[in-house]
Amino acid sequence: MGFVIRSTRVVLPDGSVDPAGVEMRDGRIAAVLPGRPRADIDLGDLVLMPGLVDTHVHVNEPGRTEWEGFGSATRAALAGGVTTIIDMPLNSLPPTVSAEALAAKQAAAAGQCHVDVGFWGGAIPGNAGDLAALHAAGVFGFKAFLADSGVPEFPPVTSAELRAAMAAVDALFLVHAEDPDRLGVSPASRVYADFESSRPGAAECSAVGAALDAAEATGSRVHILHVSDADAATVVEAGRARGVRVTAETCPHYLTLDAAEVPDGATEFKCCPPIRGAANRDRLWAALAAGGLDIVVSDHSPSTPALKHPETGDFAAAWGGIASLQLGLPLVWTSAAARGHDLADVVRWMSSGPADLVGLHHKGRIAPGADADLVAFDPDATFTVRPDGLHHKHPVTPYAGRRLTGVVRRVWLGGTKVTPGDPPRGRLLTRSADLLEPAR
């Protein structure tokens, strides 16, 4: 049986926010009805928007499930209005660098996921011969590091190895772009500026250039991950202008935090590449508005609290990663609204854009035929971030005490209303969008 949800504010694919009803049937959107049609659910003035698609999430299961797991990560996603995630190939054990490792990851995820989940593969030294089979098994593309990943089982590739991997398979390649030759050694220090200065923006720009050169030489698609330095966005734009098939992302922490405001010893702020200053943050927003940066995703990269070394506050020793999967939408909306952007912009950056990046064109939009993954969002409500309200496995966050605007009120996954406390009903997705679990 189908049913209709209506709102005075529905975010539509053309960028308009209009009164409409959305008819859902068999897990999909059957029709978008203009105006105020008869409805089973009337949201009033709550915004009805497509669920977010987050293509940069480190779940870490199996192998490092004590850091995060599919159950806890996808509950956090659901609470934050994220209805689809794509899991990174590290920091799980084994990393997703072969078809066999993908099968292990899928087995670990089965039956645990509160939202739909797909998987990236990994390109590391020596596995170029495994990439075609891994791609055929359904990963959405391949991630490579040009600098140390932080875990020994996922070593970085050289520029030549990246080029060889791109030549081995026609696929989307994601690149963590920092040039190891331009990175310094972070001293043992509680002062954030000492860590930040060890990973300068020049290292990002150099590595982005190398990734673009590899993509240009092989004709590959390349996606630059977590751009933190605004000059790197300029390098991306120059590559696009010369015909390289390149897209790029940034993350909520780079768009909302300021290096000058990081307290001494507050290692919950550490990530790689690092949070930079306010002037750079303004330029990232300008690049996003102009289309130089394409999407905003979380880079949810949690660890156990002990790995953040809170007892010493040593930035050099602490794990580099920020857990923000649950908070991405209000973080971005709070800053976007203050800068004159609207909800259609946020949907483009966080729903349809990431969905299109990975070829899930039936997600991230309110249109006939799309998955009925929907969010009722109150864009005017405010709340204060409390760690005990987070569903991540470990509530370590740089946003504790931060006042944000925008509250997720309800979520529908495949046309069914869901909450983080409900039994898991998410699907495992492959690049071809075939389901590995029964249809809901």
Side-chain angles (χ1 to χ4, degrees):
M1 295 289 294
F3 67 99
V4 175
I5 302 173
R6 77 181 183 192
S7 165
T8 62
R9 294 188 286 179
V10 179
V11 185
L12 298 171
D14 64 359
S16 63
V17 181
D18 294 324
V22 178
E23 181 183 356
M24 300 189 285
R25 189 183 299 274
D26 298 327
R28 298 274 179 137
I29 295 172
V32 177
L33 310 170
R36 295 182 60 83
R38 294 186 63 179
D40 301 280
I41 299 172
D42 187 350
L43 297 177
D45 291 333
L46 288 179
V47 170
L48 185 63
M49 59 187 287
L52 272 59
V53 177
D54 193 332
T55 54
H56 196 151
V57 178
H58 295 266
V59 175
N60 305 333
E61 185 177 4
R64 290 192 175 96
T65 311
E66 69 275 15
W67 294 18
E68 184 68 284
F70 283 103
S72 52
T74 57
R75 277 192 297 272
L78 178 56
V82 179
T83 51
T84 302
I85 67 169
I86 310 295
D87 172 63
M88 282 291 168
L90 73 163
N91 302 301
S92 57
L93 293 168
T96 315
V97 294
S98 68
E100 294 76 17
L102 173 63
K105 180 73 72 81
Q106 291 166 333
Q112 289 202 73
C113 299
H114 294 265
V115 301
D116 291 351
V117 177
F119 304 93
W120 295 112
I124 62 173
N127 84 325
D130 296 312
L131 299 184
L134 184 51
H135 201 231
V139 297
F140 285 85
F142 299 97
K143 180 177 186 177
F145 279 76
L146 294 178
D148 181 23
S149 72
V151 291
E153 67 278 358
F154 204 98
V157 295
T158 64
S159 295
E161 288 169 332
L162 176 62
R163 191 172 300 197
M166 288 178 167
V169 59
D170 181 14
L172 173 62
F173 280 82
L174 319 178
V175 179
H176 179 122
E178 289 183 289
D179 183 343
D181 293 333
R182 299 192 178 215
L183 296 178
V185 177
S186 179
S189 175
R190 290 174 52 83
V191 178
Y192 178 76
D194 292 338
F195 163 68
E196 183 192 3
S197 63
S198 73
R199 305 186 87 99
E204 230 178 312
C205 293
S206 174
V208 169
L212 295 178
D213 289 345
E216 185 173 37
T218 58
S220 294
R221 288 177 63 204
V222 65
H223 180 74
I224 306 300
L225 298 167
H226 45 49
V227 172
S228 78
D229 183 80
D231 286 338
T234 302
V235 178
V236 169
E237 290 184 85
R240 191 177 289 135
R242 72 175 197 252
V244 180
R245 300 164 66 199
V246 59
T247 50
E249 69 186 39
T250 192
C251 305
H253 37 282
Y254 302 129
L255 295 171
T256 60
L257 300 175
D258 176 2
E261 297 176 353
V262 177
D264 288 352
T267 54
E268 62 269 24
F269 287 82
K270 180 181 176 180
C271 57
C272 300
I275 296 157
R276 306 191 191 276
N280 177 81
R281 180 184 61 193
D282 291 343
R283 292 179 60 211
L284 287 176
W285 274 104
L288 189 60
L293 296 173
D294 300 277
I295 62 174
V296 181
V297 290
S298 69
D299 190 9
H300 177 74
S301 185
S303 70
T304 60
L307 288 176
K308 284 292 191 180
H309 291 280
E311 74 287 352
T312 65
D314 180 3
F315 280 98
W319 174 258
I322 290 177
S324 63
L325 183 55
Q326 184 172 335
L327 297 172
L329 176 56
L331 283 167
V332 173
W333 172 239
T334 300
S335 293
R339 293 170 181 268
H341 297 290
D342 59 23
L343 282 167
D345 294 325
V346 173
V347 165
R348 186 174 69 254
W349 298 329
M350 303 186 78
S351 296
S352 59
D356 289 345
L357 174 73
V358 296
L360 292 175
H361 303 298
H362 60 291
K363 288 186 175 290
R365 68 210 73 222
I366 295 178
D371 282 3
D373 301 339
L374 302 173
V375 171
F377 183 63
D378 187 340
D380 304 311
T382 61
F383 70 101
T384 299
V385 177
R386 294 177 47 190
D388 63 4
L390 300 176
H391 291 273
H392 313 147
K393 181 160 286 190
H394 303 289
V396 177
T397 175
Y399 303 111
R402 194 176 185 98
R403 192 75 174 166
L404 299 178
T405 301
V407 174
V408 172
R409 298 298 189 189
R410 301 186 213 176
V411 178
W412 291 265
L413 183 69
T416 298
K417 184 176 178 293
V418 288
T419 73
D422 292 339
R425 57 181 300 111
R427 301 174 294 177
L428 303 187
L429 306 175
T430 65
R431 179 174 49 85
S432 61
D434 295 330
L435 303 185
L436 300 180
E437 290 187 342
R440 47 178 173 251

